[in-house]
Each structure stands twice: as structure tokens, then as C-alpha cells.
Amino acid sequence: MQTPELLREAWTRNMGANTALLDVIPVHALLAAVPAGIPVGQHLQHLALDVCKWLAHLNADRASALRASLPAWNGQDSDHTFLRRAREVWLGAEESLIEEVLVGGQVDRLPHAAYELLPVHMLVHDAYHRGQIVAALRANGHPAPDVETFWGPWRS
């Protein structure tokens, strides 16, 4: 596989892991956190807004539209609208970002040494926050995906 195909494949598998996590987060777990950590809701807001930040380097209009559609998390559990919109914005921005990178969007506007490094940066970032969210869910007695949920997409 060439680099663009590898990036697309890795990105698709990463989005599969993100989707698997989003599928199991109960809406009443948005306040779950580990000691000295941030709550699940704040992780989700950060993930959605951070990918929009990077997308803005490549497609400011798309990033702005996505950001505008994400309501601020109200710091409460059971915020169904926030959980649904965070999912849509996070996954939508990730799909837009990889498309922009693969078609050679204005990659010179990125602070990475090569355009291929932005998706790699985002894969690592997503994995870090997935781990934090799973730890928060488990520490607070909520169901959380097992390891295979995250490794499965990379093995198939």
C-alpha cells in the first residue's frame, strides 16, 4: 500500500475504535472521571473541538460549521443532545480532516513536518483520550468496552 492508502486504512480503523467507544458511553456517565481527571463529557467536547481546530487549517468553512453545531457541554449528566452532537461533530470532523489531507488540502498551513503526520498525531491523541474515558467509566462503575473492542478494528 502507498502512504495515502495506509493513512486512509489506519484512519478508518481508528474511527471504528472511536465509534465503538461512543456506542457504549451511557448518557448518564458524562460526569464520570478519575481522581484529578476531567469528566467524560469534557473529554468528548475536547475531542470534537480539537479535531475541528486542526481541520480549520485545511478547510476553515467546514470546521466552523461543525464547531457551530456542537452545543457547549453543560457540565451535567444525561445531556442527550450534547452526547449525540459530540458524536456527530467528532466523527464528521475526522472524516473531513482525512479527506482534506488525502486530497492535498492546504497542508502547508500545518505545523507538522509532513502532511502524513497530522493523521498520525490525531490517532495518538484519540487513543490517549479513549484510554482516559475508559478509565473514567470503569472507575465509576459504568460499562466500558473491553480491549478487543479497540484492537478488533486493527486486526480485521
Side-chain angles (χ1 to χ4, degrees):
M1 273 188 206
Q2 297 296 318
T3 299
E5 291 83 19
L6 283 171
L7 285 176
R8 165 53 82 188
E9 185 64 26
W11 200 259
T12 298
R13 291 169 189 246
N14 183 66
M15 287 183 67
N18 291 344
T19 299
L21 174 61
L22 287 163
D23 286 346
V24 300
I25 296 175
V27 71
H28 60 277
L30 293 176
L31 286 175
V34 294
I38 64 174
V40 169
Q42 195 171 344
H43 278 288
L44 294 175
Q45 181 170 287
H46 168 75
L47 284 160
L49 293 176
D50 195 61
V51 71
C52 285
K53 173 190 79 176
W54 290 107
L55 177 60
H57 287 277
L58 305 171
N59 186 331
D61 292 340
R62 176 72 176 137
S64 180
L66 285 164
R67 262 194 317 266
S69 70
L70 180 65
W73 180 52
N74 63 14
Q76 303 296 315
D77 272 347
S78 300
D79 189 340
H80 293 273
T81 300
F82 171 77
L83 187 57
R84 179 178 49 80
R85 292 302 300 147
R87 175 191 188 103
E88 292 168 1
V89 170
W90 183 21
L91 297 178
E94 287 201 332
E95 185 60 36
S96 294
L97 185 127
I98 195 64
E99 292 304 324
E100 291 292 333
V101 168
L102 292 178
V103 299
Q106 298 175 348
V107 294
D108 58 315
R109 297 176 60 190
L110 295 172
H112 297 82
Y115 80 95
E116 297 94 340
L117 294 179
L118 175 59
V120 173
H121 166 157
M122 296 307 301
L123 293 172
V124 172
H125 182 256
D126 285 359
Y128 168 80
H129 284 282
R130 282 194 307 265
Q132 293 294 304
I133 290 169
V134 167
L137 292 173
R138 288 185 178 145
N140 289 274
H142 297 290
D146 61 14
V147 172
E148 188 58 29
T149 300
F150 296 124
W151 283 111
W154 293 96
R155 291 186 181 128
S156 58

